[in-house]
Amino acid sequence: MEKHFYITTPIYYPSANFHIGHCYSTIIADSIARYKRLDGYDTYFLTGSDEHGQKIEKKSAEAGVEPKEYVDKIVENAKDLWKRLGITYDRFIRTTDEDHVETVQKIFTKLYDKGDIYKGEYKGLYCTPCEAFWTESQLVDGKCPDCGRDVQEVSEEAYFLKLSKYQKQLEEYIESHPEFIQPETRKNEMINNFIKPGLEDLCVSRTSFKWGIPVTFDTDHVVYVWLDALSNYITALGYGQENDELFKKFWPADVHIIGKEIVRFHTIIWPIILMALDLPLPKKVFGHGWLIIDGAKISKSVGNYKDPREYIDAYGVDAVRYFSLREIPFGNDGNFSEEALIARINSDLANVWGNLVNRTIGMANKYFEGTVTNPKSAENIDIPFIEQIDDLKIQTDNKIDELQISKVLEMIFDVLRNSNKYIDDTAPWVLAKDESKKDRLETVLYNLLEAIRVTNILLKPFMPESTTKVEEYLNCDKTAFEDAKYNENLTYKVTDSPKPLFERIQKD
Ligand code: MSP
């Protein structure tokens, strides 16, 4: 049976100021997508841009250009950044894409015809930067509870989606599917803070601006940007289109990767839209934490922003990927600073991984002219070492399914750390002095090469560039995911000129 996997990132608001925090959802989703692809799953990885709404209309007017022209430029910039980060998406959906616009219009009409969308009048508060409606009681000190900025009073004729009708069904679904909202703490927050107090019907159209998808049967209205944006997860697959093969194959999604501040939209509004459409819900929604600086989310306005390409240029793409993945533990926030990035490069990438590769290949060249086989001169110390190599993939598979990416890297680096310790414990330079220990010396080097090979296979999804280098250095054709276990019968002919994988960085 063919195995499928469908993973998505949020679609980004077009912003010229993408920062390293923005990259996190996409790096994490890309790594999981790569892992599943290498593990034999037919994988679909979706990302894109969320281009409509009042905020974009305002910004483009300030820039003196049409909204579409304004977003076109920024989307090019985003695509360039994803390319630099090695993001392997299958589709980059834009909410201005024709097929998306058409399907959102169909969805709106379908829900209206069904009676789940009705016309009324909206009076309330709106935060334009977040494109979110709020009630007085939800405000914190009179400001938007998400971003802390001022909200505006709006009063206009509008269409509403009957969230209240689905409240019970949603609550039951969340209770009976404990894996649906990850991590658990966010699930409790959604139930206790939002669902239990009662869901109010949601305003899903606006008339006070034009930059949006027109409601076909009432063209003064444009579709509320979150209804438009959330639908991307199914429009991208051809839902409601003549050719809906991808939709049939990949829906429901295995996981939506999103930041914690948009969990509410993905676990209340989105499931209700799907229920109203009689579609199955995504299997998981993972609300990850943020990269923060001094307790604050990274942002241009706080002044702690740098274009991520500057870090890629200075330290390499894999260091940036590794840092983001390793530094944010499951669901928590992680602290970002250039010092912390450098510390990770030095402590993990250069000292542990790079050093191991360098030492092992150096010794293979020095003692065996680069050709190492396994004379099987085993000792007790080898047993736990080999076991750890052998078990690694089962463990990383489990942690990937739990979305514990930082943990996956920690486990792989444990093996790399132990390999360095194995060198110190077996002291190959001492064995080399004794001709009768030649087989033992070769066995030790063989085991080390195996540790490097197996960890390298499992590191591929996270650090595609450096693992390609190590693969070339090892020059061994067992590089597929199914080969990620100890093999006692290989022959290594390693390179005689390995360059350091990562340079240690000295910074004042
Ligand atoms: N357009 C909406 C998503 C619609 S999905 C149907 C949106 N866009 S966004 O550009 O504001 O954010 C995109 C993603 O970047 C979100 O998941 C958000 O959490 C993430 N991040 C933005 N800053 C971040 C950090 N500092 N750290 C980690 N992720 C953060 O929301």
Side-chain angles (χ1 to χ4, degrees):
M1 199 184 68
E2 212 188 355
K3 304 185 286 183
H4 298 131
F5 191 77
Y6 178 32
I7 184 167
T8 68
T9 71
I11 49 173
Y12 288 78
Y13 292 127
S15 141
N17 308 319
F18 269 133
H19 56 64
I20 186 90
H22 281 126
C23 301
Y24 179 61
S25 299
T26 310
I27 295 175
I28 196 174
D30 178 68
S31 301
I32 299 171
R34 282 176 183 259
Y35 193 101
K36 289 290 177 182
R37 241 180 251 134
L38 289 168
D39 209 18
Y41 286 75
D42 185 357
T43 300
Y44 199 88
F45 169 25
L46 178 70
T47 193
S49 54
D50 183 358
E51 304 182 7
H52 292 122
Q54 200 166 1
K55 184 168 50 180
I56 301 293
E57 187 177 273
K58 233 168 118 189
K59 281 194 180 161
S60 59
E62 280 161 20
V65 292
E66 287 301 313
K68 181 65 167 53
E69 195 184 327
Y70 176 81
V71 289
D72 277 351
K73 259 211 192 100
I74 298 176
V75 165
E76 277 323 300
N77 180 48
K79 284 187 174 170
D80 174 68
L81 176 59
W82 297 155
K83 195 165 161 199
R84 295 288 313 277
L85 278 169
I87 305 301
T88 55
Y89 55 78
D90 292 285
R91 174 165 178 185
F92 186 102
I93 188 171
R94 298 183 55 179
T95 52
T96 48
D97 285 345
E98 239 174 76
D99 59 338
H100 172 81
V101 169
E102 203 182 282
T103 311
V104 168
Q105 289 177 325
K106 282 187 198 163
I107 291 173
F108 200 95
T109 308
K110 191 168 174 178
L111 297 183
Y112 179 73
D113 289 345
K114 202 182 159 195
D116 282 343
I117 285 181
Y118 62 92
K119 202 170 188 175
E121 164 138 19
Y122 182 76
K123 261 203 182 75
L125 303 159
Y126 195 75
C127 173
T128 306
C130 294
E131 303 280 12
F133 296 101
W134 298 106
T135 59
E136 198 74 49
S137 63
Q138 288 172 322
L139 301 185
V140 175
D141 299 330
K143 312 258 183 197
C144 168
D146 273 357
C147 73
R149 282 177 273 207
D150 288 334
V151 292
Q152 288 84 44
E153 285 217 22
V154 290
S155 164
E156 57 193 54
E157 179 189 86
Y159 286 90
F160 288 84
L161 175 66
K162 284 186 183 164
L163 296 191
S164 51
K165 175 177 162 190
Y166 291 94
Q167 158 150 2
K168 189 119 200 69
Q169 195 180 333
L170 178 64
E171 204 175 318
E172 278 166 13
Y173 185 89
I174 295 176
E175 297 286 9
S176 59
H177 294 77
E179 72 298 334
F180 175 55
I181 306 178
Q182 294 287 321
E184 178 97 15
T185 46
R186 305 221 197 287
K187 172 183 129 184
N188 300 336
E189 194 184 321
M190 288 305 122
I191 293 190
N192 297 331
N193 298 0
F194 293 101
I195 304 177
K196 281 230 157 83
L199 293 176
E200 284 177 31
D201 291 351
L202 175 75
C203 177
V204 287
S205 80
R206 304 290 310 273
T207 52
S208 53
F209 65 95
K210 284 271 153 257
W211 181 238
I213 300 180
V215 172
T216 35
F217 52 87
D218 194 349
T219 49
D220 284 346
H221 291 252
V222 294
V223 175
Y224 172 45
V225 65
W226 272 99
L227 174 55
D228 166 355
L230 289 161
S231 303
N232 93 91
Y233 300 130
I234 54 176
T235 63
L237 300 178
Y239 169 75
Q241 298 276 330
E242 207 171 307
N243 179 355
D244 62 356
E245 252 167 62
L246 287 175
F247 178 74
K248 286 197 182 116
K249 183 160 153 188
F250 287 109
W251 192 259
D254 290 272
V255 57
H256 293 316
I257 305 285
I258 54 164
K260 61 182 178 183
E261 83 283 19
I262 54 176
V263 170
R264 193 166 61 90
F265 298 94
H266 284 79
T267 59
I268 297 177
I269 300 175
W270 180 224
I272 289 180
I273 295 171
L274 290 166
M275 284 172 175
L277 291 170
D278 287 319
L279 292 175
L281 306 196
K283 293 178 203 157
K284 252 183 217 172
V285 174
F286 176 50
H288 63 69
W290 294 333
L291 276 174
I292 52 172
I293 297 181
D294 299 331
K297 200 172 158 196
I298 303 169
S299 85
K300 179 105 180 179
S301 50
V302 182
N304 53 16
Y305 155 92
K306 228 183 195 184
D307 188 312
R309 277 163 283 219
E310 288 186 39
Y311 301 118
I312 300 175
D313 290 340
Y315 307 110
V317 59
D318 282 357
V320 172
R321 288 177 66 110
Y322 178 77
F323 177 85
S324 314
L325 295 166
R326 181 69 185 78
E327 209 70 12
I328 304 193
F330 182 65
N332 296 354
D333 292 340
N335 221 4
F336 179 81
S337 68
E338 202 154 345
E339 289 72 43
L341 171 64
I342 292 172
R344 277 280 172 208
I345 295 172
N346 287 345
S347 70
D348 297 4
L349 299 178
N351 281 5
V352 176
W353 190 23
N355 199 19
L356 172 70
V357 171
N358 219 34
R359 283 165 100 188
T360 306
I361 290 183
M363 291 189 289
N365 280 312
K366 184 167 173 196
Y367 303 133
F368 297 97
E369 289 168 355
T371 303
V372 176
T373 55
N374 183 11
K376 299 179 185 155
S377 173
E379 289 187 6
N380 279 345
I381 188 174
D382 302 350
I383 298 170
F385 184 53
I386 290 173
E387 251 173 33
Q388 202 190 12
I389 299 170
D390 236 6
D391 287 350
L392 188 59
K393 173 147 191 306
I394 297 172
Q395 299 200 29
T396 55
D397 280 352
N398 287 338
K399 291 292 165 211
I400 282 280
D401 288 339
E402 290 171 15
L403 305 166
Q404 306 243 24
I405 310 301
S406 171
K407 195 83 201 156
V408 171
L409 290 172
E410 200 182 313
M411 286 184 320
I412 301 176
F413 271 77
D414 269 351
V415 176
L416 295 170
R417 250 181 220 103
N418 275 342
S419 306
N420 279 319
K421 182 165 183 301
Y422 181 79
I423 299 183
D424 298 339
D425 290 346
T426 53
W429 49 92
V430 177
L431 299 173
K433 289 192 185 129
D434 184 345
E435 191 51 35
S436 72
K437 298 272 172 62
K438 198 146 194 254
D439 277 359
R440 177 62 192 149
L441 174 62
E442 192 170 2
T443 303
V444 165
L445 288 178
Y446 184 86
N447 288 342
L448 286 166
L449 288 165
E450 276 297 281
I452 296 173
R453 183 182 65 83
V454 171
T455 49
N456 199 63
I457 294 174
L458 295 172
L459 282 173
K460 278 191 210 192
F462 311 100
M463 291 182 278
E465 254 188 33
S466 321
T467 47
T468 305
K469 273 192 213 157
V470 172
E471 219 167 88
E472 284 163 16
Y473 295 171
L474 292 186
N475 199 10
C476 169
D477 60 5
K478 293 281 182 230
T479 56
F481 249 44
E482 68 207 31
D483 300 315
K485 51 185 178 287
Y486 185 83
N487 181 330
E488 56 181 19
N489 294 318
L490 301 179
T491 300
Y492 283 97
K493 287 191 169 56
V494 303
T495 177
D496 57 5
S497 51
K499 292 198 187 70
L501 265 191
F502 296 93
E503 301 282 359
R504 269 191 69 83
I505 294 160
Q506 313 279 355
K507 192 133 188 174
D508 309 330

